[in-house]
């Protein structure tokens, strides 16, 4: 896709990859969160979705799945993590640990993770407030409140407002 890495159309195209992953997760009985790690030239390096339920592995969040799928790189600077939902503290730590330069977020209405903290530490944050991402999570939370409360939705303690 042509255009600069900060082109809004390009970021929306990347979000489509993450949304597709979120839909795969729902189809597998999981949580509808998807992500993609994008290279400096706009190529998808890795993509993934939350597999916490499917694999009974609390560490398999969408961002970690996309990061793992991208494989080992000399550096992650100049890469972009695209995610359908504001990254939790665990995933925010991954972004910071590996120096991922930008995070493109589908929505932060249903959950506010660590993206403000990331911005305070120099990560470029782009919040798209995508209605499709909001709808996916709102529908999931309404249909699966116990599952949502099991992890990041627990008691609201993780929310930053």
């Amino acid at each position: 896709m042509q255009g600069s890495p900060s082109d809004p159309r390009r970021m929306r195209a990347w979000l489509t990859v993450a949304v597709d992953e979120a839909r795969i997760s729902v189809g597998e009985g999981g949580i509808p969160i998807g992500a993609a790690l994008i290279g400096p030239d706009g190529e998808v390096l890795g993509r993934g979705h939350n597999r916490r339920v499917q694999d009974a592995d609390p560490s398999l969040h969408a961002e970690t799945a996309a990061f793992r799928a991208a494989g080992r790189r000399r550096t992650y600077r100049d890469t972009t993590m695209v995610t359908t939902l504001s990254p939790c503290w665990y995933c925010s730590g991954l972004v910071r640990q590996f120096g991922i330069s930008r995070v493109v977020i589908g929505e932060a209405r249903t959950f506010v993770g660590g993206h403000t903290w990331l911005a305070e530490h120099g990560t470029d944050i782009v919040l798209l407030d995508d209605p499709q991402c909001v709808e996916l999570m709102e529908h999931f939370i309404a249909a699966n409140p116990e599952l949502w409360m099991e992890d990041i939705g627990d008691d609201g303690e993780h929310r930053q407002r």
Side-chain angles (χ1 to χ4, degrees):
M1 172 177 268
Q2 296 297 317
S4 90
S6 60
D7 179 349
R9 289 173 299 167
R10 192 171 214 196
M11 287 189 252
R12 292 248 175 228
W14 295 337
L15 183 62
T16 300
V17 174
V19 169
D20 290 346
E21 287 292 326
R23 291 188 192 287
I24 291 169
S25 188
V26 170
E28 296 172 347
I31 299 169
I33 305 171
L37 186 66
I38 308 298
D41 296 326
E43 72 277 18
V44 176
L45 301 173
R47 56 190 292 162
H49 53 275
N50 188 297
R51 296 197 50 82
R52 184 173 64 81
V53 174
Q54 299 92 310
D55 294 356
D57 181 346
S59 71
L60 263 179
H61 291 203
E63 297 88 343
T64 58
F67 181 76
R68 288 175 179 169
R72 185 175 171 202
R73 300 178 57 83
R74 185 178 163 280
T75 181
Y76 295 88
R77 306 217 186 279
D78 300 328
T79 62
T80 300
M81 180 66 74
V82 181
T83 179
T84 57
L85 184 64
S86 176
C88 69
W89 287 108
Y90 170 62
C91 295
S92 294
L94 175 128
V95 167
R96 183 116 159 84
Q97 172 70 31
F98 290 96
I100 295 169
S101 303
R102 178 189 310 137
V103 179
V104 175
I105 302 166
E107 69 103 348
R109 289 189 211 176
T110 59
F111 175 79
V112 178
H115 70 265
T116 301
W117 174 77
L118 285 169
E120 290 167 356
H121 288 87
T123 305
D124 181 24
I125 301 296
V126 178
L127 180 54
L128 297 176
D129 197 27
D130 183 80
Q132 182 178 215
C133 292
V134 173
E135 183 181 335
L136 268 170
M137 284 310 300
E138 285 180 343
H139 182 266
F140 174 80
I141 292 167
N144 303 280
E146 288 183 24
L147 184 54
W148 175 247
M149 296 302 273
E150 182 181 300
D151 193 355
I152 62 173
D154 62 11
D155 61 3
E157 156 186 342
H158 297 91
R159 293 177 187 258
Q160 291 181 348
R161 294 264 183 210

